[in-house]
Amino acid sequence: MKAGSSFSLISLRTFHHHHNHSSAIRLMSTTVTRTATDARLRASPAVQAAKFDPDGDFPNNARLPLLLYSQVLSLTDAEPTELASAFESVLDRNGWGWGWRDGIYPYHHYHSTQHEFLGVYSGSCKVQLGGPNGVVFEVAAGDSILIPAGVSHKNVGQSDDFFCVGAYPPGAEADMNYGKPDERPRVDVNIAKVPLPQRDPLYGDDGPLKSNWS
């Protein structure tokens, strides 16, 4: 990834989804009954958190970090449609909806009324996060990104077979903003009002969202 002035790496850790508590991480975990719908969900994905300060006309979100979940789904013997369905099943169980399957727009944009989950089920993509001076992450099948309200994202290059699942927590419909001068301060007011999700999109009550967003 490429560093920019608006980017602050908060942490790089492994989230352990089992009944033991490890002093090496800040994530509480409990025993979870695994079902066929989340059989591909890994128990211990690496989770990277990063905060983005405002970048010109892009407000970003200085309070809530973006979360990058690396290889949360097992890719063994998996077809893309199976991975998409696995994402959707887990998201649905955790109350995240308004779902879609598509790509990421090739221009800077953000949502001021909702947080957004993106789960990659096919191919790979380079995503610039935080605006023109932000950073570029490369994500591939099995990875996912939880984007706080206000954080800009843009597709800056992808494989021909790139697709992802999108979803949102209960609440308002996601709006679209593009970093235009007349968007602020209206969007700043919107962002401050977006409630925290009740459950992590993938790991429910004991997921990384709970310990990183407060």
Side-chain angles (χ1 to χ4, degrees):
M1 61 185 176
K2 299 177 182 178
S5 59
S6 62
F7 169 71
S8 176
L9 184 65
I10 304 302
S11 55
L12 180 62
R13 67 175 72 86
T14 299
F15 165 58
H16 295 284
H17 196 57
H18 52 56
H19 66 277
N20 294 322
H21 172 68
S22 170
S23 60
I25 57 177
R26 295 190 297 107
L27 302 175
M28 299 300 294
S29 53
T30 58
T31 300
V32 173
T33 301
R34 297 173 64 80
T35 67
T37 60
D38 67 353
R40 290 195 172 275
L41 191 64
R42 293 188 186 276
S44 302
V47 178
Q48 188 168 323
K51 284 185 179 179
F52 295 89
D53 292 324
D55 182 4
D57 291 320
F58 293 93
N60 290 318
N61 196 314
R63 182 171 67 95
L64 301 178
L66 176 144
L67 300 179
L68 173 63
Y69 304 64
S70 297
Q71 293 299 289
V72 291
L73 294 184
S74 169
L75 305 182
T76 304
D77 299 323
E79 294 293 328
T81 54
E82 183 181 355
L83 293 179
S85 295
F87 271 126
E88 290 165 345
S89 295
V90 176
L91 289 163
D92 181 68
R93 190 179 68 243
N94 289 313
W96 287 63
W98 302 83
W100 49 264
R101 298 185 186 184
D102 207 332
I104 300 173
Y105 292 126
Y107 45 81
H108 295 289
H109 66 285
Y110 65 94
H111 314 294
S112 74
T113 57
Q114 263 294 18
H115 311 298
E116 183 173 45
F117 171 89
L118 301 176
V120 182
Y121 67 86
S122 178
S124 62
C125 182
K126 294 181 179 179
V127 187
Q128 186 170 24
L129 300 158
N133 295 308
V135 296
V136 175
F137 285 98
E138 182 164 3
V139 291
D143 294 337
S144 62
I145 310 174
L146 179 54
I147 305 174
V151 175
S152 175
H153 41 294
K154 173 186 178 181
N155 179 340
V156 295
Q158 66 172 67
S159 63
D160 291 339
D161 59 345
F162 169 71
F163 287 101
C164 63
V165 167
Y168 309 87
E173 186 174 353
D175 63 352
M176 284 289 292
N177 301 280
Y178 309 95
K180 297 180 179 179
D182 62 352
E183 292 171 353
R184 305 182 72 181
R186 171 183 55 84
V187 294
D188 297 274
V189 175
N190 291 345
I191 293 166
K193 292 180 178 179
V194 179
L196 296 178
Q198 294 298 307
R199 296 170 63 85
D200 185 278
L202 299 176
Y203 294 95
D205 291 331
D206 60 338
L209 181 149
K210 287 289 186 179
S211 58
N212 284 279
W213 287 18
S214 59

